[in-house]
Amino acid sequence: MHANYIAGQWAEGPSQRSNINPSDTRDQIGRYAQADLNQVEQAIEAAHTGAPAWGLSSPQQRADVLDKIGSEILARKEEFGELLSREEGKTRPEGIGEFARAGAIFKFFAQEALRLRGDKLASVRPGLEVEVTREPIGVVGLITPWNFPAAIPAWKIAPALAYGNAVVFKPAELVPGSAWAISEIISRSGLPAGVFNLVMGPGSVVGQALLSDARIDGLSFTGSEGTGARIAQAAVQRGAKFQLEMGGKNPCVVLDDADLDTAVNCVVQSAFFSTGQRCTAASRIIVQKSIYAQFLERLAAATRSLRVGHALAADTQIGPVVDESQLAQDLHYIAMAKAEGARHICGGEQLKADTPGHFLSPALFADCDNRMQHCQEEIFGPVASVIPADNYEHALSLANDTPFGLSSGICTTSLKHATHFKRHAQAGMVMVNVPTAGVDYHVPFGGRKASSMGSREQGTYAAEFFTTVKTTYLQA
Ligand code: ADP
């Protein structure tokens, strides 16, 4: 039984939930406490009480705590990576890689605690000094999704603590194991009681309770657009700070001067790795007509060769879909693509394996029109739609013709087109000759349009959300 962590104590919840392995639904990974409103109240109060002293703690103390957390995560990345693959379904190397990234994020923010800087300016009034400093915002509610069970919690928790905030952390229902493992390490890191709290449970109860509580000064959320909109509304109503990362419908453009091996590799990785369950995954593959047939043939061959199976099997490249309801969503969009007249090339079928799991072959469609509904809405599965483009300008306009703006990719050997695309892609992240997914941990992450609201996450830019600016005037 894995308990919640509140005010420096492990607290069993009034109910529990099993964590099920999507590669083998007979495998129950563990039982995890589900908080009720009473426990959420205790966690918020603990954070509220703990925040002022932590906010005034020395940066060295914060750096030491975060560095210790990061070191233990890194030392145990294989063990935790396997747990992550077991509960979420991405492959073992992806699971281990994600925990390595989580550890690196804690270590990065350990150092950031020491680098937080301000400005000192001359006043326009003689004899005055003006100082601009950053202070923690107070208590932050962190709400995370299931697709990156370790990295997303890390990239919210680490900067929150580094900049002196107290945390109430609400992980996704489907993946409490990785969240609990990170929280268990945090519980032994030397943080004062109440500075970090874990409350597991349903979004509609535990998550919802964080939105309206006046003691929570900021909400950092990654998840669906619908929940994001609720959070924005609740936060605006009571004047709380918020930061939202939501969906994507990311394009990958392939021009006729691209290195085709590079392009096929970029598209396959972007569209299908991690079972396409990444907000940065590419689902619209925009290909210049002059190489369309040739590229499609190579992409189809590469897609057909992908090995789908149990996330922990050594030869698996694509693990299962995370659960039944996501599988139903994927199948719904696959049927929609067919009904909309997209040409079905391969995949999109439920597969039987040695274990009962949610296995789906990567689906490839061609001759799609960007206006088709399945090309406009986020699917969040291993489904890619190839869209023909007349030339570079047409490809760029198709790439930008989406409500979203997270990651936008291009494969080209033309400096002119790469440079133009970097400037004109309407996205928070632009990828030239690299997959749309797969981002560094020390630089900002986030999007535009319907993909994101609020300031960027990760890197030094994380300070924008997790601190507030104070301008001080002083006359000696
Ligand atoms: P997904 O469809 O990917 O599960 P959600 O937006 O539903 O996306 O979930 C992302 C996170 O938001 C999860 O931790 C979930 O529990 C939480 N959540 C869901 N509904 C709410 C809500 N009404 N208020 C706060 N958090 C919520």
Side-chain angles (χ1 to χ4, degrees):
M1 167 62 187
H2 300 81
N4 288 315
Y5 186 68
I6 300 168
Q9 305 285 328
W10 291 102
E12 299 209 349
S15 61
Q16 301 173 8
R17 181 186 159 117
S18 284
N19 187 359
I20 306 289
N21 180 347
S23 298
D24 182 351
T25 51
R26 299 165 305 187
D27 177 23
Q28 286 201 17
I29 299 161
R31 307 275 301 160
Y32 290 83
Q34 301 288 284
D36 59 6
L37 291 178
N38 189 31
Q39 280 197 329
V40 179
E41 157 63 31
Q42 289 168 18
I44 296 173
E45 185 54 29
H48 182 64
T49 308
W54 182 244
L56 296 171
S57 62
S58 93
Q60 187 62 56
Q61 184 185 356
R62 287 181 245 144
D64 289 345
V65 164
L66 290 166
D67 193 68
K68 195 169 168 212
I69 297 166
S71 296
E72 184 168 343
I73 291 175
L74 287 177
R76 297 174 66 185
K77 65 176 197 259
E78 313 257 329
E79 168 197 347
F80 292 148
E82 181 171 321
L83 169 67
L84 193 165
S85 298
R86 219 174 132 203
E87 71 175 350
E88 198 271 351
K90 60 182 71 174
T91 64
R92 188 197 299 264
E94 287 173 331
I96 294 170
E98 189 178 330
F99 260 101
R101 179 170 165 192
I105 288 169
F106 275 97
K107 284 184 158 295
F108 173 82
F109 281 106
Q111 296 303 306
E112 284 299 284
L114 298 163
R115 288 191 203 111
L116 187 63
R117 64 189 65 182
D119 290 318
K120 188 159 184 180
L121 293 89
S123 168
V124 294
R125 287 171 278 171
L128 265 74
E129 288 179 353
V130 187
E131 247 176 32
V132 183
T133 51
R134 287 185 179 271
E135 296 182 0
I137 59 176
V139 176
V140 289
L142 309 180
I143 302 176
T144 58
W146 51 260
N147 66 328
F148 282 90
I152 295 179
W155 83 50
K156 294 186 193 295
I157 296 168
L161 296 176
Y163 299 126
N165 301 282
V167 168
V168 180
F169 168 41
K170 206 302 272 177
E173 294 91 314
L174 288 177
V175 291
S178 302
W180 192 89
I182 292 172
S183 301
E184 198 279 326
I185 292 176
I186 294 175
S187 76
R188 292 183 282 101
S189 64
L191 272 183
V195 171
F196 173 83
N197 304 274
L198 167 72
V199 278
M200 297 175 284
S204 55
V205 179
V206 179
Q208 186 70 34
L210 301 180
L211 309 190
S212 52
D213 197 297
R215 289 165 295 180
I216 297 204
D217 303 287
L219 291 157
S220 178
F221 166 81
T222 304
S224 65
E225 276 181 278
T227 309
R230 272 170 190 266
I231 291 176
Q233 266 175 9
V236 166
Q237 237 169 34
R238 63 184 184 82
K241 210 169 172 182
F242 65 97
Q243 172 183 60
L244 312 176
E245 287 301 339
M246 299 166 288
K249 192 70 193 176
N250 308 295
C252 183
V253 170
V254 182
L255 296 185
D256 64 3
D257 58 17
D259 177 285
L260 287 195
D261 288 338
T262 302
V264 169
N265 183 42
C266 276
V267 169
V268 166
Q269 282 205 37
S270 306
F272 302 130
F273 280 37
S274 300
T275 322
Q277 298 176 149
R278 301 190 273 200
C279 40
T280 50
S283 49
R284 295 184 299 130
I285 315 306
I286 300 164
V287 181
Q288 197 167 350
K289 280 182 182 160
S290 38
I291 51 153
Y292 188 81
Q294 184 193 359
F295 179 77
L296 187 60
E297 191 180 324
R298 291 175 67 162
L299 178 61
T303 304
R304 284 195 188 94
S305 75
L306 291 170
R307 290 184 302 275
V308 180
H310 195 297
L312 294 174
D315 62 347
T316 294
Q317 290 173 292
I318 310 292
V321 174
V322 73
D323 72 349
E324 258 168 38
S325 93
Q326 182 60 51
L327 181 64
Q329 179 166 316
D330 296 350
L331 293 170
H332 163 76
Y333 277 106
I334 287 163
M336 180 192 290
K338 289 177 181 167
E340 288 184 306
R343 178 157 63 99
H344 178 237
I345 303 293
C346 61
E349 281 125 27
Q350 270 188 273
L351 301 175
K352 286 245 174 305
D354 296 341
T355 50
H358 311 296
F359 302 105
L360 180 67
S361 53
L364 188 63
F365 289 94
D367 307 350
C368 300
D369 182 321
N370 193 53
R371 294 275 94 204
M372 289 173 175
Q373 193 180 344
H374 83 280
C375 292
Q376 288 290 313
E377 295 176 6
E378 185 177 50
I379 302 173
F380 220 63
V383 184
S385 308
V386 182
I387 304 165
D390 299 334
N391 49 35
Y392 166 73
E393 288 73 22
H394 186 211
L396 173 67
S397 75
L398 290 170
N400 286 336
D401 182 12
T402 164
F404 296 102
L406 187 57
S407 182
S408 192
I410 189 167
C411 292
T412 178
T413 53
S414 152
L415 182 61
K416 181 177 148 197
H417 289 142
T419 308
H420 191 272
F421 190 82
K422 275 201 301 180
R423 176 65 187 84
H424 295 273
Q426 293 163 4
M429 296 177 291
V430 176
M431 310 291 189
V432 181
N433 295 319
V434 287
T436 54
V439 293
D440 288 8
Y441 67 82
H442 66 305
V443 292
F445 175 94
R448 298 183 185 178
K449 295 156 81 175
S451 292
S452 304
M453 276 183 94
S455 54
R456 287 285 186 269
E457 302 198 77
Q458 298 203 70
T460 52
Y461 290 71
E464 288 300 328
F465 179 74
F466 288 106
T467 65
T468 182
V469 167
K470 182 178 274 176
T471 310
T472 311
Y473 297 84
L474 181 143
Q475 183 156 40

